[in-house]
Amino acid sequence: MEKVFVSPGMYLQGENILTSRFEELLQYGKRGLIVTDTFVYQLIGEDIIYRMTKSGCELTVWLVDTGDQINLPEKTDFVLSIGGGRAIDLGKSIALREKKAYIVLPTSASTDAPVSRISVAYDEKGYFQEYHYFSKGPDLVFVDTAILVNSSIHLLTAGIADGLSTFVEARTVWENHGLNTLGVRPTIAAQVLAEKCKDVLLANAVDAVETNKEQKVTPEFEAVVEANTLLSGIGFESGGLSIAHSLHNALMSKFGKKIKASHGQIIAVTTLIHLKVETRKELNAYQQLFQKLSLPITIKELGIQLDDAAIGQIAELAFTANDGIVRSGSTITKSELIEAIQAFK
């Protein structure tokens, strides 16, 4: 079976690199589409756009929260997403579908989406629809930690939960000779990076959250940002997804926006269920860490109540063909999954 390893073209991270490495944003052409939201536009977007325009760029701005639809302008050289998940997913879909250069400038370390070639499709009510897979990844991921350290604490902790799921799921793929998100076997390199992501987060998560509260960029904060974004992104994409993300998708397929929690907060709960159903020894340590970081550890804390019928439906959805459980080759049964969900409902 063939193996494939993928990564973004370039990953840049550091404090105040919007000043020291600004020219890196200008290397992909002069005509660009900026994808962001109103809040981020007012926070940093307007200044970035002004500086790029002064450097000779012709830019079109799409504010994704206004409800407006946009087609890619003619003769576009690049797409730049500034912000969080929605801006990243929409910008990525446009750029990679049309095979344009794609730049990501995240404003939090809440997700590993910035480095991947995958976007997630939800309907207008927030129900999970499907993954979209593209043939290339971002050309540049530009992570200024001076921006990220000013984001909300719950965004960082959500990213930590998502990052800690990376090795849990990649391990399941590896042990069961399953397939990664690219539909092939993972490389040794992907497994090593997924495990390093876990090690970095376990060693630095608590300290990074404390320094985030003080809005100080420290080595611990830098390490967690890199783990949440780069190590987790490569680890999940090239290492593969399994039970935790299948359960996330099942919950979103059934409840949509009725779930009052972010992606990472949902993954905190589904990772515990993943560890439970596989009877992994680190379950208690993960649960204690999530509690220390004020992350949810039960489905009830996500804002939904589950009866036996709903649990059965979620288990059924989690075994959807081509989602993580099936692709990873996991040997768990639906009845075992139902029992594990019951423990964290």
Side-chain angles (χ1 to χ4, degrees):
M1 171 65 75
E2 63 184 18
K3 298 180 178 182
V4 176
F5 177 93
V6 295
S7 66
M10 179 185 291
Y11 179 90
L12 282 176
Q13 177 181 319
E15 188 174 8
N16 294 315
I17 59 172
L18 260 178
T19 298
S20 63
R21 301 294 294 269
F22 185 77
E23 70 281 355
E24 300 288 351
L25 299 177
L26 308 174
Q27 62 181 305
Y28 298 100
K30 293 295 185 181
R31 301 180 185 90
L33 171 66
I34 309 298
V35 183
T36 188
D37 60 52
T38 303
F39 175 77
V40 172
Y41 176 81
Q42 295 171 344
L43 185 68
I44 59 169
E46 192 170 15
D47 180 62
I48 293 170
I49 292 164
Y50 172 78
R51 291 167 65 189
M52 293 181 76
T53 302
K54 290 284 285 183
S55 298
C57 292
E58 300 175 15
L59 304 174
T60 300
V61 180
W62 179 24
L63 301 177
V64 299
D65 56 336
T66 62
D68 296 334
Q69 298 298 314
I70 192 167
N71 293 317
L72 194 67
E74 290 187 16
K75 299 181 179 179
T76 298
D77 299 317
F78 66 90
V79 177
L80 166 60
S81 288
I82 309 173
R86 181 166 170 76
I88 292 171
D89 271 342
L90 291 173
K92 182 187 296 183
S93 294
I94 292 174
L96 302 187
R97 183 183 65 234
E98 300 297 331
K99 295 182 170 28
K100 302 297 182 181
Y102 182 51
I103 308 166
V104 192
L105 200 161
T107 50
S108 72
S110 62
T111 174
D112 46 27
V115 308
S116 82
R117 61 188 61 204
I118 297 173
S119 69
V120 185
Y122 299 94
D123 67 16
E124 67 279 359
K125 294 183 179 179
Y127 294 98
F128 172 80
Q129 298 295 298
E130 60 183 339
Y131 289 121
H132 291 157
Y133 300 91
F134 301 100
S135 60
K136 68 180 289 290
D139 295 276
L140 172 63
V141 182
F142 195 92
V143 183
D144 191 326
T145 48
I147 295 171
L148 270 62
V149 80
N150 289 296
S151 64
S152 299
I153 304 299
H154 74 86
L155 295 174
L156 184 66
T157 57
I160 291 167
D162 196 31
L164 283 170
S165 76
T166 300
F167 175 68
V168 173
E169 297 189 272
R171 176 177 58 189
T172 300
V173 178
W174 185 267
E175 290 179 350
N176 291 284
H177 307 287
L179 304 179
N180 62 16
T181 65
L182 307 160
V184 295
R185 290 282 292 125
T187 59
I188 296 169
Q191 184 72 4
V192 169
L193 291 174
E195 186 168 14
K196 188 63 176 179
C197 178
K198 179 255 301 180
D199 292 343
V200 168
L201 291 175
L202 292 178
N204 296 284
V206 174
D207 289 339
V209 169
E210 289 305 310
T211 59
N212 194 175
K213 291 176 182 177
E214 300 170 4
Q215 297 183 335
K216 293 180 180 179
V217 177
T218 62
E220 294 80 9
F221 181 77
E222 291 274 6
V224 167
V225 167
E226 184 177 341
N228 282 7
T229 311
L230 180 62
L231 295 178
S232 182
I234 293 175
F236 98 77
E237 189 163 44
S238 291
L241 298 172
S242 187
I243 300 166
H245 272 76
S246 284
L247 279 172
H248 167 277
N249 297 341
L251 287 165
M252 294 304 296
S253 293
K254 180 167 177 59
F255 293 104
K257 291 181 180 178
K258 294 175 185 175
I259 299 179
K260 305 303 181 185
S262 67
H263 172 79
Q265 290 169 330
I266 299 168
I267 289 293
V269 179
T270 61
T271 298
L272 295 179
I273 296 170
H274 186 141
L275 293 169
K276 175 73 172 178
V277 75
E278 291 187 337
T279 62
R280 299 290 186 175
K281 62 183 180 180
E282 64 264 40
L283 171 59
N284 288 338
Y286 272 48
Q287 185 167 335
Q288 290 170 13
L289 176 61
F290 290 169
Q291 288 178 301
K292 194 167 189 177
L293 298 178
S294 298
L295 284 161
I297 61 168
T298 65
I299 292 173
K300 183 178 180 180
E301 291 177 79
L302 303 178
I304 54 177
Q305 299 276 0
L306 297 183
D307 57 21
D308 289 346
I311 291 173
Q313 291 171 342
I314 291 164
E316 188 71 30
L317 287 167
F319 278 83
T320 298
N322 211 37
D323 210 336
I325 291 178
V326 175
R327 289 171 71 99
S328 67
S330 172
T331 59
I332 68 165
T333 65
K334 289 179 185 176
S335 60
E336 289 171 337
L337 183 59
I338 287 170
E339 185 178 348
I341 295 170
Q342 290 278 10
F344 289 95
K345 70 175 184 178

